[in-house]
Amino acid sequence: METRVKQGESLTRSAFLLAFDLRRQKLTRRDELGYLLRAAALAELLLAGNLADESGKARPVAAPAAEPGSLRAVVWEQIANSPPRSWGRWVRKDHGKAVRVVRDELAAARLISVERRRILLFPVERITPRKPYLTRRLAESVGRAIRGGRPVGRLDEDVRVLAALATAARLDTVAPSWREARLRRDRIQQLAEPVEPIATALRKSVEAARAGSEAS
């Protein structure tokens, strides 16, 4: 049975919870998480008709009914008040801040707890899901979407998009290995069709970030 993303829950919040590694009790790839979160916000706006793709650039169409201060509202304001720019530009912009914005949303909703302390004068932050079963169910649902079973066209749209973005971001908790991704290439492309320009921009942004990290 396919598990839906909780009704009323944003893709950004779900992506954050999906990035939590329950076995290791930590967020995976935290330095890249902001790319995934901003891509999720862009996907929400695109799917809702607030944005349109125009020759590889994000074009504002209609203001969303987004909660003030939410990542979706932040991303919309940036796009609406700027000249047309590529999807990749909006995936990468302020990606570190995106993590903090969604973290605070989840903490306010009591879906995570945030503990702050200092070790040798350095600030350390520990994030713990208050409802780990939500992360587990998301991972199971997204994993099934990626690996097959139900036809792509019959998947819930929110699960389908999360699966596409998680794969593009190579999210350790659910993304297939490089070898498996090649075998499932057609299915992964089908998953990404509703948000193809965003998934492509996310994949390229993550690849560039990792290449830069390995080179330094």
Side-chain angles (χ1 to χ4, degrees), residues 62-184:
E67 182 180 345
S70 66
L71 184 58
R72 182 167 54 167
V74 170
V75 171
W76 166 260
E77 288 297 326
Q78 290 175 336
I79 296 175
N81 293 302
S82 300
R85 298 188 187 281
S86 70
W87 293 102
R89 169 66 180 266
W90 298 122
V91 166
R92 295 186 297 272
K93 183 175 175 61
D94 296 338
H95 63 92
K97 182 179 178 181
V99 177
R100 298 190 293 273
V101 169
V102 181
R103 175 203 63 194
D104 291 348
E105 286 184 41
L106 288 167
R110 297 188 61 78
L111 289 173
I112 63 171
S113 62
V114 182
E115 176 190 353
R116 297 180 178 89
R117 54 197 174 102
R118 288 185 175 273
I119 298 179
L120 299 177
L121 302 179
F122 293 99
V124 176
E125 182 178 84
R126 178 181 174 81
I127 296 174
T128 307
R130 290 181 179 271
K131 299 179 180 180
Y133 67 87
L134 292 179
T135 291
R136 188 174 297 110
R137 288 178 181 175
L138 273 173
E140 291 171 354
S141 185
V142 168
R144 285 195 297 270
I146 293 170
R147 290 170 176 83
R150 177 174 291 195
V152 169
R154 294 181 59 193
L155 294 172
D156 290 321
E157 186 176 60
D158 44 17
V159 172
R160 175 180 181 172
V161 171
L162 267 180
L165 297 181
T167 302
R170 294 163 60 186
L171 192 63
D172 293 347
T173 54
V174 291
S177 66
W178 177 81
R179 184 182 298 276
E180 185 182 4
R182 289 195 63 183
L183 293 173
R184 302 186 185 279

Side-chain angles (χ1 to χ4, degrees), residues 183-204:
L183 293 173
R184 302 186 185 279
R185 181 174 56 187
D186 289 345
R187 184 173 179 88
I188 290 169
Q189 289 177 344
Q190 290 176 37
L191 289 169
E193 282 177 2
V195 292
E196 191 280 328
I198 299 169
T200 297
L202 173 60
R203 176 178 53 79
K204 290 181 177 180

Side-chain angles (χ1 to χ4, degrees), residues 21-53:
D21 187 327
L22 292 173
R23 184 177 58 84
R24 299 171 64 195
Q25 287 294 296
K26 62 182 293 186
L27 283 172
T28 185
R29 300 281 183 178
R30 180 162 179 164
D31 54 336
E32 300 168 3
L33 179 56
Y35 297 139
L36 173 60
L37 298 179
R38 286 189 63 95
L42 289 165
E44 287 181 314
L45 292 166
L46 178 65
L47 293 171
N50 306 119
L51 295 177
D53 176 59

